[in-house]
């Protein structure tokens, strides 16, 4: 319980710090949202009016405090750029609420694929004694890690979309209309996200298992007459998973924060795409919330990893 | 019972075990004695079928009760070995800290022995299932014949199934009971609690007891114990030896006891093999070997063992105090590892009060965790969280550390390492700064003093043996001519013969340079050999301090008495 409270306090402090930093960054980087909206031809009076409308005429501290106060009340503000209809701007909450599920769904699918494939692959690799298999797996995973993700996306689209015709590229359906259809479409971008991560995780797990193999307790297990298989699965795997869990945590954080390139290639309306366009148009309210979201996700995932770690390794919680 | 014939083992290179033949009789305790690298562990691991796959058995055969287990030139039959590992032979390893799976409860690890091998125990439960069902079905048929409804027969069948499940539950409870019994058998009083502990929650001695429980639970004919007490404290060491002795007497199993410690072998073994460089150089009954050693090496080994009869340092007059420690308490901070957690100050040394005199060797003896190192760090000034006072009447003291393998910077040459304290001294106190040439001359001089030839000046630590490295460490400590050198377990990582040489070196350098030493060790015999006075420490408190002879003849504290046993 005490542990949980500590974690939450750290989370809140980090979020506050990050929001301040993001705000400051926006003050420093060149470019002006007003010029970006109105273009360079606008009259000074028009610019002044818009500035006032957006509240940009206030000093930075006042703006930050006002913004932060609103966020705490649950009001994330309105986008500078996206409009809901002719006379209303899009609220940030709605904007992100629209895109977030896509990214989360993509992340969940990718993670599932990674775990289901990478862990058995890593164990199999560590246990295999065949030289040829070792070399080919080594080369295969190295290639998978080296391919740039946009190219991998294109390859997946080509293979599954045009050769095998398992899905129609560009035919993304919103999860609101057809959840199952959406998932079926998302599987393929998820594969593109997963392939390099599978390679990394499998390699990592293999190395971790081989390191654990030379531990003293493994020799003890053999001295009891346990079979190779039993030693690998009952004794080595759990110990070897510890560093892998941290690594998987890093991967989750990365994916949930938005797989920008893959979202572009498969034209998915996710967070990654939104982030890029908002930064380039100085859409401050959107960026600020997105940064907070990403920070939150990263910290939260690490928190989960921490808990998982305690489950796997009994030594940690007693310290 | 065990017969090993002409066994040779090699790892891609020269043979590490050469033409080793011996037998172990029923109920016999055979000791294998030798220094590190003598091939004693490889022999044991080969016998157990645990040696790594990069090792090749180049010649020889191993028999267990006339059953051929291993033959040179043929691949190891792992399936056959698995039948033997556990029920017929088991092993206790050196490192109790790492030999148990850290993520598995201790009880489960002991129970694994039963799960893997106890066919009888498992077989009963499996066999009982169909039997019970048959009875029920028969009853069902009977009922059918008697005209009772089929429904009832079905419930009876179901009863049979639950009966089988009950049986399995009972079986599980029985297994647990056997594990608890085994744990109690090795002297773990709170067996129930230990059963549910993870290894890290137990002390080293307790873990070794768990390992022994695991090894004896199936009552194997042979137990191989590879340095089972080396990583343990002296008092715990005694207990484990007594335990192995007791098990041997009660269960009549054979024991292959591997050790570098001749005293231990003498206490426990019926017969002894002495190994050197992979060869058996001498074998015979224990007392014969000790009383009348034949081989040169055996003689050397026996004379190198620190005993309480060997020659001692000539006693020394206490004249001028060098370091005065007054009512010193040492603390360390236990970080709560978080921004808000309270840091707890823990006291590790309580009110130490003693004086080190000029030119004496003061021995400090105690078990691991008793505060020896904390105390020495406080005297050096490395630990600032102290109360009380330490007054030095000479220049700053130097230190020799335990592990010669990791305490020397591997990137530097011996010459550079020897000069480093002089360089540091020059920076701290410009008046003592020396020219490059003088430093080099001093380093060469020191190299000679620690008994090493000129050619080592340009070598790096990785090219030296453990003993040579420790010589360099001692040279480093002495080169600034400090009044006091603190030597923290300087010989405990070394083999006995090397240990004897280093102790001799420390003694002669001390006579020559008149430096005082605070000599820390867990080995009371080593302390006896080198010290003028002894200080006994336990749980952060100094229990006793006095002239070496006096303490050995008339120990006052019960703990000292136990140490001296």
């Amino acid at each position: 319980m005490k542990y949980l409270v500590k974690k939450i306090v750290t989370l809140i402090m980090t979020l506050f710090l990050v929001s301040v930093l993001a705000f400051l960054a926006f003050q420093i980087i060149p470019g002006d949202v007003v010029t970006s909206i109105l273009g360079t031809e606008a009259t000074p009076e028009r610019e002044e009016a818009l500035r006032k409308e957006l509240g940009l005429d206030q000093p930075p501290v006042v703006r930050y405090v006002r913004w932060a106060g609103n966020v705490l009340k649950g009001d994330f503000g309105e986008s500078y750029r996206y409009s809901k209809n002719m006379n209303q701007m899009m609220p940030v909450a709605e904007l992100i609420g629209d895109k977030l599920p896509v990214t989360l769904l993509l992340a969940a699918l990718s993670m599932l694929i990674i775990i289901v494939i990478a862990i058995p692959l890593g164990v199999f690799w560590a246990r295999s004694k065949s030289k040829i298999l070792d070399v080919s797996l080594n080369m295969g995973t190295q290639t998978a890690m080296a391919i740039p993700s946009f190219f991998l996306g294109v390859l997946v689209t080509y293979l599954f979309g045009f050769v095998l015709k398992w899905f129609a590229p560009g035919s993304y359906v919103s999860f609101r209309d057809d959840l199952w259809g959406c998932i079926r479409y998302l599987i393929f971008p998820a594969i593109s996200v997963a392939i390099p991560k599978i390679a990394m995780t499998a390699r990592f797990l293999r190395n971790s298992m081989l390191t654990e193999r030379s531990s003293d307790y493994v020799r003890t297990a053999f001295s009891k007459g346990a079979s190779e298989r039993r030693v690998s699965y009952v004794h080595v795997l759990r110990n070897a998973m510890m560093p892998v869990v941290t690594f998987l945590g890093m991967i989750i954080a990365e994916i949930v924060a938005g797989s920008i390139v893959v979202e572009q290639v498969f034209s998915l309306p996710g967070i990654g795409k939104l982030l890029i366009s908002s930064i380039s148009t100085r859409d401050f309210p959107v960026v600020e919330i997105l940064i907070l979201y990403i920070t939150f996700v990263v910290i939260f995932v690490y928190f989960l990893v921490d808990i998982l770690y305690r489950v796997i390794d009994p030594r940690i919680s007693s310290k | 019972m065990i017969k090993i014939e002409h066994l040779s083992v090699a790892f891609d290179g020269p043979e590490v075990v050469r033409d080793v033949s011996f037998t172990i009789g029923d109920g016999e305790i055979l000791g294998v004695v030798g220094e590190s690298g003598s091939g004693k562990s490889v022999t044991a691991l080969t016998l157990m079928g645990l040696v790594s796959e990069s090792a090749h058995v180049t010649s020889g055969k191993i028999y267990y009760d006339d059953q051929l287990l291993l033959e040179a030139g043929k691949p190891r039959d792992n399936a056959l070995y698995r039948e033997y590992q556990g029920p017929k032979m088991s092993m206790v390893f050196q490192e109790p800290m790492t030999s148990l799976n850290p993520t598995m409860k201790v009880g489960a690890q002991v129970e694994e022995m039963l799960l893997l091998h106890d066919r009888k125990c498992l077989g009963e439960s499996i066999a009982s299932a169909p039997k019970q069902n048959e009875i029920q079905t028969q009853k069902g048929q009977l009922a059918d014949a008697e005209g009772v409804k089929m429904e009832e027969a079905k419930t009876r069948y179901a009863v049979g199934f639950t009966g089988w499940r009950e049986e399995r539950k009972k079986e599980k409870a029985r297994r647990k009971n056997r594990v608890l019994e085994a744990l109690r058998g090795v002297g773990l009083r709170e067996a129930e609690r230990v059963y549910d502990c993870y290894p890290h929650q137990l002390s080293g001695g307790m873990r070794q007891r768990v390992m022994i429980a695991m090894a004896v639970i199936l009552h194997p004919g042979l137990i191989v114990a590879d340095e089972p007490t080396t990583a343990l404290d002296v008092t715990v060491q005694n207990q484990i030896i007594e335990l192995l002795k007791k098990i041997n007497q009660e269960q009549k199993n054979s024991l292959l006891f591997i050790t570098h410690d001749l005293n231990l072998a003498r206490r426990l073994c019926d017969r002894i093999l002495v190994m050197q460089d992979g060869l058996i150089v001498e074998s015979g009954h224990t007392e014969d070997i000790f009383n009348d050693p034949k081989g040169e090496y055996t003689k050397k080994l026996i004379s190198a063992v620190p005993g309480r009869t060997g020659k001692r340092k000539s006693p020394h007059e206490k004249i001028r105090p060098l370091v005065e420690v007054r009512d010193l308490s040492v603390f360390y901070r236990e970080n709560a590892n978080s921004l808000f957690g309270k840091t707890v100050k823990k006291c590790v040394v309580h009110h130490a009060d003693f004086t080190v005199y000029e030119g004496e060797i003061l021995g400090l003896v105690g078990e691991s965790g008793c505060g020896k190192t904390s105390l020495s760090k406080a005297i050096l000034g490395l630990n600032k969280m102290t109360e009380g006072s330490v007054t030095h009447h000479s220049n700053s003291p130097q230190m020799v550390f335990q592990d010669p393998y990791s305490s020397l910077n591997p990137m530097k040459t011996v010459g550079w390492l020897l000069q480093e304290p002089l360089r540091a001294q020059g920076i701290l106190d410009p008046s003592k700064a020396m020219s490059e040439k003088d430093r080099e001359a001093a380093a060469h001089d020191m190299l000679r003093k620690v008994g090493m030839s000129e050619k080592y000046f340009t070598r790096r630590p990785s090219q030296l043996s453990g003993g040579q490295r420790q010589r360099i460490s001692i040279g480093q400590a002495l080169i600034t001519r400090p009044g006091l050198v603190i030597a923290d377990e300087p010989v405990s990582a070394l083999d006995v013969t090397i240990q004897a040489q280093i102790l001799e070196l420390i003694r002669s350098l001390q006579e020559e340079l008149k430096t005082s030493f605070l000599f820390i060790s867990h080995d009371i015999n080593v302390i006896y050999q080198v010290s003028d006075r002894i200080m006994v420490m336990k749980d952060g408190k100094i229990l006793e301090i006095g002239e070496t002879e006096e303490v050995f003849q008339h120990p006052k504290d019960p703990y000292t008495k136990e140490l001296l046993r």
Side-chain angles (χ1 to χ4, degrees), chain B residues 66-112:
Chain B
D66 297 328
Q67 160 75 42
L68 182 65
L69 277 185
L70 189 74
E71 192 175 1
K74 285 188 189 160
R76 185 167 78 211
D77 184 352
N78 284 329
L80 175 70
Y81 253 111
R82 279 204 293 276
E83 301 281 312
Y84 278 78
Q85 290 161 339
K88 298 198 170 149
M89 52 192 197
S90 59
M91 189 152 178
V92 178
F93 297 95
Q94 173 172 3
E95 276 297 332
M97 293 303 177
T98 54
S99 292
L100 289 167
N101 187 342
T103 57
M104 221 167 150
K105 283 184 180 166
V106 162
Q109 295 193 50
V110 179
E111 208 169 305
E112 196 181 14

Side-chain angles (χ1 to χ4, degrees), chain A residues 2 5-7 9-10 13 129 212-213 215-231 234-236 238-239 242 311-319, chain B residues 45 48 50 53 81-82 85-87 89-91 93-95 98-104 108-110 112-113 115-117 198 200-201 211 214 226 336-341:
Chain A
K2 206 174 139 202
V5 171
K6 263 191 231 162
K7 282 281 165 187
V9 173
T10 328
M13 277 171 51
K129 296 212 166 73
E212 286 295 324
R213 273 299 299 261
S215 308
D216 287 347
Y217 69 84
V218 172
R219 195 179 52 186
T220 309
F222 277 122
S223 84
K224 293 193 236 176
S227 63
E228 178 81 33
R229 176 189 295 268
R230 188 178 165 86
V231 171
V234 177
H235 292 277
V236 178
R238 188 166 165 187
N239 285 291
M242 280 184 265
V311 173
I312 296 182
D313 190 348
R315 281 169 294 187
I316 293 176
S317 40
S318 69
K319 253 171 210 163
Chain B
L45 289 173
M48 282 294 296
L50 292 174
E53 297 198 346
Y81 253 111
R82 279 204 293 276
Q85 290 161 339
M89 52 192 197
S90 59
M91 189 152 178
F93 297 95
Q94 173 172 3
E95 276 297 332
T98 54
S99 292
L100 289 167
N101 187 342
T103 57
M104 221 167 150
Q109 295 193 50
V110 179
E112 196 181 14
M113 261 311 196
L115 277 174
L116 284 168
H117 296 290
Y198 286 100
H200 70 274
Q201 294 165 311
M211 285 295 291
M214 200 148 84
D226 186 0
N337 200 13
S338 133
L339 200 56
F340 306 103

Side-chain angles (χ1 to χ4, degrees), chain B residues 353-373:
Chain B
D353 201 298
F354 61 93
T355 308
V356 184
Y357 292 94
E358 214 164 70
E360 77 164 345
I361 299 187
L362 177 61
L364 173 55
V365 67
E367 298 185 346
S368 57
C370 75
K372 298 180 301 230
T373 303

Side-chain angles (χ1 to χ4, degrees), chain B residues 135-193:
Chain B
I135 294 165
Q136 289 302 323
T137 335
Q138 275 170 11
K139 274 188 184 167
Q141 281 164 355
L142 212 72
D144 227 18
E146 282 172 14
V148 187
K149 277 178 192 165
M150 197 55 201
E151 289 299 310
E152 200 184 329
K154 268 185 188 160
T155 29
R156 284 199 184 169
Y157 183 82
V159 168
F161 184 69
T162 27
W164 177 65
R165 273 195 4 210
E166 293 273 297
E167 196 60 29
R168 289 213 23 186
K169 228 187 242 166
K170 261 189 230 160
E171 203 49 59
K172 222 172 158 183
R174 237 182 61 187
R175 273 206 306 274
K176 184 172 173 180
N177 271 336
R178 274 189 68 180
V179 172
L180 291 178
E181 216 174 90
L183 291 176
R184 282 191 205 103
V186 294
L188 290 164
R189 257 165 260 113
E190 294 171 277
E192 291 275 354
R193 190 182 67 83

Side-chain angles (χ1 to χ4, degrees), chain A residues 57-68:
Chain A
D57 52 341
Q58 305 283 334
V61 180
V62 175
R63 267 159 50 210
Y64 177 79
V65 171
R66 188 184 291 163
W67 172 84

